[in-house]
Amino acid sequence: MATLTFNAFSFLQKKLKARQVDCVNAPLAFDEGQTAGEVLKTLGIGPEDLEGLFVNGRIAGLHTRLHHGDRLAVFPPGTPGPYRLLLGLVNSRGESKNEDL
């Protein structure tokens, strides 16, 4: 069993805390090679809950394979506009940069 560091932001924290899922710099066990989408599904997070997904600080998609020691972070829809641009979720025209969500 592998372990990664998991972080959820904004509204996702509330959703996960209601399920008693730690979501701030939380160690999370998973099977080596699982995809981000598979791991998030076990937490009850689906594509409709996401606007951004990062693996090791880079924008990633649900099909990204995860490995021991990775860092996984998720952002819900509704992230304020300037942060969406600064995080790289959208380009300067407001268009999504992540087609894999």
Side-chain angles (χ1 to χ4, degrees), residues 4 8 11 13 16 22 31-32 43-44 48 57 64 69 75 78 92 99-100:
L4 57 78
F11 309 113
Q13 284 186 350
L16 292 167
D22 193 10
D31 292 327
E32 179 81 27
L43 299 175
E48 68 280 359
T64 303
F75 292 83
S92 61
E99 302 297 323
D100 192 23

Side-chain angles (χ1 to χ4, degrees), residues 5-99:
T5 301
F6 176 66
N7 282 286
F9 294 88
S10 189
F11 309 113
L12 287 174
Q13 284 186 350
K14 184 176 181 180
K15 179 177 183 172
L16 292 167
K17 287 179 181 180
R19 295 185 184 144
Q20 295 163 350
V21 175
D22 193 10
C23 57
V24 178
N25 290 322
L28 181 65
F30 69 102
D31 292 327
E32 179 81 27
Q34 274 189 298
T35 66
E38 291 167 338
V39 170
L40 293 173
K41 185 176 180 180
T42 66
L43 299 175
I45 298 173
E48 68 280 359
D49 296 315
L50 301 173
E51 181 170 13
L53 182 153
F54 294 81
V55 174
N56 299 325
R58 294 181 179 239
I59 292 175
L62 293 169
H63 300 294
T64 303
R65 298 256 174 230
L66 299 173
H67 305 284
H68 180 73
D70 280 350
R71 293 173 291 123
L72 174 63
V74 292
F75 292 83
T79 301
Y83 295 108
R84 295 170 74 226
L85 181 61
L86 290 171
L87 289 169
L89 300 175
V90 296
N91 63 24
S92 61
R93 294 180 300 278
E95 300 164 336
S96 176
K97 291 176 70 176
N98 194 343
E99 302 297 323

